[in-house]
Amino acid sequence: MLNTSILIILISIIIMVIASIISKKTFMDREKSSPFECGFDPKSSARMPFSLQFFLIAVIFLIFDVEITLLIPFILIMKISSIKIYSFSIIFFLLILIMGLYHEWNQGALNWTL
């Protein structure tokens, strides 16, 4: 079993070395890495500007969206648990959500600035 594993690893390493030696090497130059616009120089940057504020709002939305979906099982738990345990767990979960929202608000992540 050990000999077979060593043989397989050895064959894999040999094939990777041969493939890297035989493979066609490409050299990066300015013309190949620049965007192509029908043979002309591009008029503007090929990359669009990225809004970090939009990204932060989108991530916050996804986090709270996932947390809201975690609230759905609480409806099913209500049938099988006592009202005291149910109330404590739902209040604790909502308190965590509210604290997270307050933290984001306090850090200024919810302020939309242009």
Side-chain angles (χ1 to χ4, degrees), residues 79-98:
K79 293 180 183 177
I80 59 173
S81 68
S82 68
I83 191 69
K84 189 176 180 181
I85 295 172
Y86 175 74
S87 299
F88 177 73
S89 60
I90 196 78
I91 289 171
F92 182 71
F93 189 78
L94 288 175
L95 186 66
I96 291 173
L97 283 179
I98 292 170

Side-chain angles (χ1 to χ4, degrees), residues 61-81:
F61 171 76
L62 287 176
I63 289 171
F64 280 101
D65 192 41
V66 168
E67 289 174 349
I68 294 299
T69 60
L70 292 175
L71 283 173
I72 293 173
F74 278 112
I75 297 169
L76 300 174
I77 291 173
M78 186 172 59
K79 293 180 183 177
I80 59 173
S81 68

Side-chain angles (χ1 to χ4, degrees), residues 51-59 112:
S51 172
L52 186 61
Q53 187 69 29
F54 177 75
F55 177 73
L56 288 174
I57 294 291
V59 168
W112 191 265

